[in-house]
Amino acid sequence: QNLLIQSDKARWITFSLVGALGLYTIPIMVYPLSIVFIWFFASILKTTNKRTRLRQLFFSGISIGLLTAFFYTPIFLGSGPQALFNNRFVRAAPSWESFFNALFHSGTELGQLWTLDYPFALTLLFIICLIIGCISFSNPKTVPLVIALPICLLLITLQKVMPPERTWLFLMPLCFAWIANGLIYFLEQ
């Protein structure tokens, strides 16, 4: 958010470099980075200086793509692009049925992982607050919370790939923020 308020070259260069290093370090960074870009885009649409900010966001995205490609050049030259784009982690499911089965299985596993060792009553309270938090949001700062899950579902559907459960750890703080929002809404009623 600070990047959009105090928008200078150094901040955008830092953001682009961190994004590219994140994608190089762990390619699933594409999920949180996509959320940040859409959040920035939505935030920019509410500002007075839209054209400049959109141009900065666009060039930042291009910079991230080019830097990431540069960082991956040794892998492309040494092992070929198939090492990155056709390994067992990113290979598309053979059919939509197998993809949706994997999605259901992964969702179940993720739910069990995130609620491990919580009493059932607390898990149920979390789920209720999560739903209330999603429905009752009104603060524009919660936009990333609301768009995170649909963006991730869209990306994995477009890829037709179900990543390992650990991929979604970055969503955990967002889910707890949703839960807190739902709990606050519930307590204020």
Side-chain angles (χ1 to χ4, degrees):
Q1 190 77 4
N2 197 13
L3 181 62
L4 298 177
I5 295 168
Q6 298 175 350
S7 190
D8 58 53
K9 275 187 183 175
R11 290 174 196 268
W12 281 105
I13 290 170
T14 303
F15 173 72
S16 299
L17 187 58
V18 168
L21 287 171
L23 286 169
Y24 176 69
T25 304
I26 183 162
I28 60 112
M29 175 75 169
V30 72
Y31 301 117
L33 196 57
S34 297
I35 292 166
V36 169
F37 263 87
I38 292 173
W39 176 34
F40 279 2
F41 181 76
S43 298
I44 287 170
L45 293 179
K46 297 175 185 175
T47 65
T48 56
N49 198 2
K50 290 179 187 66
R51 179 170 283 184
T52 302
R53 299 284 191 257
L54 286 173
R55 192 172 337 127
Q56 291 167 326
L57 184 65
F58 175 77
F59 283 119
S60 177
I62 297 295
S63 300
I64 289 171
L66 291 173
L67 280 169
T68 303
F70 173 74
F71 293 152
Y72 275 109
T73 300
I75 294 170
F76 291 145
L77 295 176
S79 303
Q82 70 277 3
L84 187 62
F85 297 115
N86 196 24
N87 63 55
R88 67 185 176 101
F89 296 108
V90 297
R91 196 170 295 124
S95 69
W96 284 107
E97 181 182 354
S98 63
F99 169 73
F100 286 116
N101 285 338
L103 180 63
F104 177 77
H105 176 72
S106 183
T108 304
E109 290 288 318
L110 186 64
Q112 290 173 353
L113 177 69
W114 283 11
T115 60
L116 186 67
D117 296 330
Y118 286 130
F120 177 74
L122 186 60
T123 300
L124 188 60
L125 176 66
F126 281 176
I127 291 170
I128 292 168
C129 287
L130 180 69
I131 293 168
I132 292 171
C134 290
I135 294 171
S136 68
F137 85 96
S138 60
N139 184 344
K141 291 181 181 176
T142 61
V143 168
L145 305 178
V146 177
I147 63 173
L149 190 58
I151 290 171
C152 292
L153 287 173
L154 176 67
L155 288 173
I156 63 171
T157 302
L158 290 174
Q159 292 174 298
K160 204 173 157 187
V161 171
M162 193 63 244
E165 288 78 26
R166 69 179 181 273
T167 301
W168 309 115
L169 284 174
F170 76 92
L171 286 175
M172 205 170 213
L174 297 177
C175 284
F176 280 121
W178 265 325
I179 291 167
N181 193 35
L183 188 58
I184 290 168
Y185 179 84
F186 180 72
L187 292 173
E188 288 178 347
Q189 300 305 314

